[in-house]
Each structure stands twice: as C-alpha cells, then as structure tokens.
C-alpha cells in the first residue's frame, strides 16, 4: 500500500469526484468555441507541416562549355513576318543573322488573328545581297547616297508583297528557342537581314519602321515553382514615332532541387530598359535589343520538408494553449455569472 500511495502522489492529473462537478451553459459555449479553434489550428498546423519550403544558397558558377537556351515569344503588330529577323552576336565574335533554327513566325492580321505560318529561313535576303560592304553599310545605317542597284523579279515581288502587308496592317508573332554560347552577348529583332536598298524601298526610311512589340514570354531556361520573369506580358506600343528598345539583362544561373532530389538547371534574371527615339541624323535602323550578361554566382534553391518533431511541438503548443485559455475563460465567465445572479454574492461585494 505504501508503494501504491507513493505512485499515486506523482499523479499530475488528479480526478475530481463526479458528484462535485457542475456543468453550465456558459461552459458548454466556451467548450464548443474552444473545440472549433483547436480544430482550425490543427488543420493549419497540419497544412504547414505538409507544405515544403525553399532554402537559398549561393556559390561560384563553375559551369563551362554549355549553351544558354533563350525562350522567346513576342508579337510585333506592325512588322510583317517577311522582314522581321532575329540576329545574335556574342563576345566570342560569333555573329548570326536571320536565325532559323527552332524559330517560328506566325502571320497576324490587323486584328491579331493568325493568317499563316512560316519557318524562319532565307526569308528576306536570298539573292538580294550584293557585297559584304553593303551589309556593313546597312548595319551602320550609312547615309551615303545609294549606288545604282538592280533588282531581280523575286526582289520586286517581295517588295510588293511586304508593302501590301504593311497596308493591310499585318503583324508577326515570333516564338521558339535560341541556343547561344554561355557568354555575354545580345540578340535583337529588326529588319537588319534586309539589304539596305531593299529596306529603303519598302519603308522609305528608318523612321517608318515600327518595332512596337509585346513580350509574352522571355526566359533563359525552364521555369521552376515561384519563378516570375520580369519581362513577361510587357507591352511597348509606338504611335507616330520610331526608335530602338534596349533591354539590359543580368542573368543569374540557378539550380532548383526538388524534394525528390531531382535537379532542374535554369536561370533567373533582372532587367533594366532604355528607349532611344529616332531622329533624322540617326544612321541606325530601329530594333528591339536584348543585351545579356551572366553573373559569376550560382543560386541553388532547395525544397525542404519540416521535421515531425517540429510539427508535434507546434501542435502541442497551440492546442495546449487554446485549452488553457478556454479553461481560464470558462472560470471567469462562471464567476461573473454567479456574481451577477446570486443576491448574497452581490451583498457581499458591497
């Protein structure tokens, strides 16, 4: 009996005799409210426990010899597909004009509806270039008086076709993937693939080239959860003017590690924007430039899950705290109601 009595004395939860318990309506109300609160907090804590969170780490970028994928999806509402070209140049000296690999164009009418598709290959420059210095003259926007230049039948047909497209208000949607070297460089969309004399005959001058555009998507790799590319859904429309848009992009190499240990290599970026309006003394043709540079730092984003012990600790704290709080509230309400309803108690307080 002595041992049992000693063990009973260690009980931290002494029981009250059943006949001494008193149940009240206020206690029932507080109990129901407490149960609702505890159920809500339990669901919240369970959801918090099952939801993963991300941890960011930074390290030096050690990647070498890889390519940089550039996903583009843009609309030019005032530039026909037959004259729009994508050119790319990087610090290694590689210069490509009118890129046609994995790039598609959609012809759009004046209402933005698709009226035809065409692959970007030899669209505007076949049989229309003369010498290399002509191309250089065009890119420099030289204002020298044009040499005597003869056009063949195909060139004349193309000029008439583009002029008709401009009159009809045709536009162009350009989308696809550019695979460039992993060094700083730029790519731009313009009419630079045209021979300067052809461009002059079509537009009558650089000030009449409208490079208004809408960027639906521009990214440097696949998207991961929570990524927002700052140029998505960008709209730049020009009215009665022309000029060159330049987007200066800083690319940050990124690795996203899922909870399943799968690794997704990609890139995120920041951007600043500059617009240069055309004037009569400019020697360049309007274009939309994307000038990019790479950061030497790699960001690693890892998905992590919360520990079960952490979940139990938080759950015990919120449920225990709620139970203790409702118990205090019940005692205060009981005493208040008793003080207000018992005459002797009111007299005693006086």
């Amino acid at each position: 009996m002595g041992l049992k009595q000693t063990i009973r004395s260690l009980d931290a939860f002494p029981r009250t005799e059943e006949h001494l318990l008193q149940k009240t309506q206020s206690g029932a109300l507080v109990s129901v409210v407490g149960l609702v609160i505890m159920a809500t907090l339990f669901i919240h804590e369970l959801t918090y426990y099952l939801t993963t969170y991300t941890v960011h780490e930074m390290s030096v970028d050690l990647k070498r010899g890889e390519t940089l994928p550039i996903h583009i999806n843009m609309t030019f509402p005032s530039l026909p597909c037959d004259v729009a070209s994508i050119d790319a140049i990087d610090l290694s000296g590689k210069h490509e004009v009118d890129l046609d690999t994995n790039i598609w164009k959609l012809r759009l009418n004046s209402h933005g509806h698709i009226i035809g598709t065409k692959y970007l290959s030899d669209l505007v420059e076949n049989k229309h270039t003369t010498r290399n210095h002509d191309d250089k003259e065009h890119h420099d926007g030289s204002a020298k008086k044009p040499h005597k230049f003869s056009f063949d039948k195909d060139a004349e047909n193309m000029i008439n076709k583009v002029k008709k497209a401009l009159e009809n208000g045709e536009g162009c949607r350009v989308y696809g993937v550019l695979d460039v070297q992993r060094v700083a460089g730029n790519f731009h969309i313009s009419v630079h693939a045209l021979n300067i004399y052809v461009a002059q005959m079509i537009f009558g001058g650089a000030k009449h080239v409208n490079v208004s555009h809408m960027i639906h998507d521009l990214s440097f790799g696949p998207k991961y959860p929570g990524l927002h590319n700052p140029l998505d859904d960008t709209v730049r429309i020009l009215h009665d003017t022309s000029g060159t848009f330049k987007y200066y992009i800083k690319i940050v190499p990124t690795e996203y590690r899922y909870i399943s240990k799968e690794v997704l290599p990609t890139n995120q970026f920041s951007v600043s924007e500059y617009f240069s309006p055309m004037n009569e003394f400019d020697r360049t043709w309007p274009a939309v430039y994307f000038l990019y540079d790479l950061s030497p730092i790699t960001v690693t984003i890892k998905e992590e899950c919360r520990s079960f012990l952490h979940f139990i600790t938080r759950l015990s704290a919120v449920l225990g705290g709620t139970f203790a709080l409702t118990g205090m509230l019940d005692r205060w309400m009981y005493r208040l109601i008793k003080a207000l309803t018992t005459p002797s108690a009111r007299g005693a307080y006086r």
Side-chain angles (χ1 to χ4, degrees):
M1 292 295 293
L3 179 60
K4 290 184 177 180
Q5 191 66 28
T6 302
I7 294 175
R8 286 182 179 179
S9 65
L10 299 177
D11 187 2
F13 308 99
R15 306 296 188 275
T16 304
E17 294 292 336
E18 187 69 26
H19 67 278
L20 298 177
L21 297 176
Q22 182 179 359
K23 295 183 179 182
T24 61
Q25 292 183 349
S26 62
L29 177 62
V30 172
S31 298
V32 171
V33 173
L35 288 175
V36 172
I37 295 175
M38 285 189 285
T40 303
L41 292 176
F42 172 77
I43 295 174
H44 175 269
E45 290 300 322
L46 182 62
T47 304
Y48 179 76
Y49 168 68
L50 296 176
T51 303
T52 60
Y53 66 98
T54 57
V55 177
H56 292 68
E57 298 177 354
M58 292 187 295
S59 60
V60 176
D61 184 19
L62 301 177
K63 295 179 181 178
R64 300 172 59 186
E66 298 184 7
T67 59
L68 178 67
I70 304 176
H71 301 260
I72 61 173
N73 186 357
M74 299 178 60
T75 293
F76 292 82
S78 303
L79 198 64
C81 286
D82 286 326
V83 296
S85 70
I86 300 179
D87 310 332
I89 186 171
D90 57 45
L91 290 184
S92 67
K94 187 177 181 180
H95 187 188
E96 297 181 272
V97 179
D98 198 13
L99 292 168
D100 61 355
T101 304
N102 298 325
I103 299 295
W104 292 84
K105 293 196 302 185
L106 302 176
R107 289 178 56 205
L108 307 176
N109 61 19
S110 58
H111 302 289
H113 300 147
I114 299 172
I115 57 176
T117 65
K118 193 165 187 179
Y119 197 66
L120 278 181
S121 58
D122 303 327
L123 291 173
V124 292
E125 204 175 12
N126 289 349
K127 301 180 183 180
H128 306 322
T129 58
T130 54
R131 298 177 182 176
N132 291 336
H133 75 271
D134 289 333
D135 288 333
K136 181 179 180 181
E137 190 178 22
H138 170 64
H139 285 287
D140 293 339
S142 176
K144 295 180 181 179
K145 185 176 180 180
H147 304 292
K148 185 177 181 180
F149 188 80
S150 61
F151 297 97
D152 58 21
K153 188 175 180 61
D154 291 337
E156 292 179 357
N157 291 338
M158 193 273 286
I159 292 173
N160 293 330
K161 179 181 178 183
V162 175
K163 285 185 175 181
K164 184 177 180 181
L166 289 171
E167 292 175 358
N168 294 334
E170 280 193 23
C172 186
R173 184 162 185 168
V174 181
Y175 69 97
V177 180
L178 298 176
D179 287 314
V180 299
Q181 299 185 74
R182 199 177 180 82
V183 294
N186 77 77
F187 69 95
H188 52 276
I189 302 175
S190 64
V191 297
H192 289 171
L194 283 173
N195 181 278
I196 185 173
Y197 308 117
V198 174
Q200 191 71 28
M201 291 195 65
I202 292 175
F203 296 100
K207 295 185 66 173
H208 299 106
V209 179
N210 191 335
V211 290
S212 298
H213 58 279
M214 293 170 280
I215 304 175
H216 309 291
D217 174 63
L218 179 69
S219 58
F220 296 83
K223 293 186 178 181
Y224 60 83
L227 174 65
H228 173 70
N229 293 318
L231 284 179
D232 288 358
D233 301 321
T234 297
V235 178
R236 298 292 181 266
I237 303 298
L238 299 175
H239 299 283
D240 301 323
T241 186
S242 187
T244 296
F245 291 89
K246 291 185 178 181
Y247 297 95
Y248 296 91
I249 297 173
K250 191 69 172 183
I251 301 173
V252 181
T254 304
E255 284 187 350
Y256 192 89
R257 299 179 180 271
Y258 291 93
I259 195 69
S260 61
K261 306 303 180 183
E262 179 184 355
V263 179
L264 177 67
T266 184
N267 301 276
Q268 51 186 325
F269 66 92
S270 61
V271 63
S272 57
E273 179 182 349
Y274 176 74
F275 173 71
S276 176
M278 295 290 297
N279 60 60
E280 56 182 343
F281 303 107
D282 283 337
R283 296 185 175 184
T284 58
W285 288 73
V288 179
Y289 282 86
F290 298 90
L291 303 98
Y292 56 87
D293 193 8
L294 286 92
S295 169
I297 301 299
T298 294
V299 175
T300 301
I301 305 174
K302 298 191 296 184
E303 287 185 348
E304 299 284 351
C305 59
R306 297 173 176 85
S307 68
F308 182 72
L309 290 178
H310 185 258
F311 167 67
I312 293 298
T313 301
R314 288 176 58 96
L315 188 63
S316 300
V318 297
L319 296 185
T322 304
F323 185 80
L325 183 62
T326 53
M328 293 172 56
L329 182 61
D330 175 55
R331 288 193 294 273
W332 292 340
M333 289 185 63
Y334 176 74
R335 291 173 183 176
L336 178 62
I337 294 174
K338 186 175 181 181
L340 295 175
T341 57
T342 304
S344 58
R346 291 198 297 268
Y349 282 116
R350 293 176 188 155

